[in-house]
Amino acid sequence: MQKVSKPKMLILLIAKYSFYFLGWLWTLKPRKVESMNDVLNLFYIKFLRLRESDIEVVKLDDRELITRAKNPCPILKLSLILKIDTKISCKIISEPVCIYVLRKLNPKLKFERNYNHIRPYSESCEERIYLQNESTAVGNV
């Protein structure tokens, strides 16, 4: 794994907490999802502000949503400028905020990014959001 210098890490952390602040502001208005279609609309279109044309829906059913995004991405742009691997920058900046926002929409939602299918190594970034089973929830026996 690539080592990130202190000045570059500071930039990544500023980006992370700026994104967290936007996520926190967005979640001040209570929103709930009832379906994976709601997740697609609220999370990708309303929160992340992606255009529908930039989102390929690979799978959409009652319990799971898999998307591939080709949107103009500020984290990708920042990573290329700083010469930092997106596998690092997305894990630091984006992933925690996505998890936070999705939990606010529904605490049972889980978020995964496919780091084997991420730009600039692939033509798009693949993410999976799914409902956690009650039997596998932390704290359930």
Side-chain angles (χ1 to χ4, degrees):
M1 185 188 272
Q2 174 186 4
K3 182 149 173 66
V4 179
S5 68
K6 286 183 182 181
K8 289 181 181 181
M9 182 56 82
L10 179 61
I11 293 169
L12 293 179
L13 291 175
I14 290 169
K16 173 184 177 175
Y17 291 113
S18 298
F19 192 28
Y20 250 124
F21 182 68
L22 290 174
W24 177 77
L25 283 175
W26 191 80
T27 59
L28 286 176
K29 178 181 177 185
R31 297 172 174 90
K32 296 290 179 198
V33 296
E34 301 295 327
S35 69
M36 285 300 170
N37 204 43
D38 291 345
V39 172
L40 179 62
N41 184 48
L42 281 173
F43 181 68
Y44 286 103
I45 307 296
K46 303 290 188 202
F47 172 63
L48 293 178
R49 298 173 149 192
L50 274 63
R51 294 182 309 222
E52 288 184 45
S53 60
D54 288 333
I55 307 166
E56 174 190 353
V57 177
V58 176
K59 181 177 182 180
L60 175 61
D61 65 25
D62 292 345
R63 303 202 52 83
E64 182 178 32
L65 169 63
I66 299 175
T67 60
R68 290 185 179 161
K70 295 181 181 181
N71 60 303
C73 178
I75 298 170
L76 174 61
K77 191 179 286 189
L78 178 66
S79 300
L80 294 173
I81 290 168
L82 295 177
K83 296 180 174 57
I84 295 174
D85 192 334
T86 51
K87 294 174 184 175
I88 295 170
S89 57
C90 289
K91 193 161 221 35
I92 291 170
I93 299 169
S94 172
E95 194 167 319
V97 179
C98 291
I99 291 168
Y100 170 79
V101 170
L102 287 165
R103 282 197 183 138
K104 290 291 190 176
L105 294 174
N106 181 336
K108 295 178 185 173
L109 288 174
K110 296 297 172 191
F111 175 86
E112 295 176 354
R113 178 171 286 118
N114 181 351
Y115 285 98
N116 293 316
H117 192 108
I118 190 171
R119 293 179 288 174
Y121 309 104
S122 295
E123 71 286 350
S124 60
C125 296
E126 185 177 276
E127 297 171 347
R128 175 179 179 238
I129 300 170
Y130 62 97
L131 283 169
Q132 179 178 358
N133 292 332
E134 293 294 327
S135 61
T136 60
V138 177
N140 287 356
V141 178

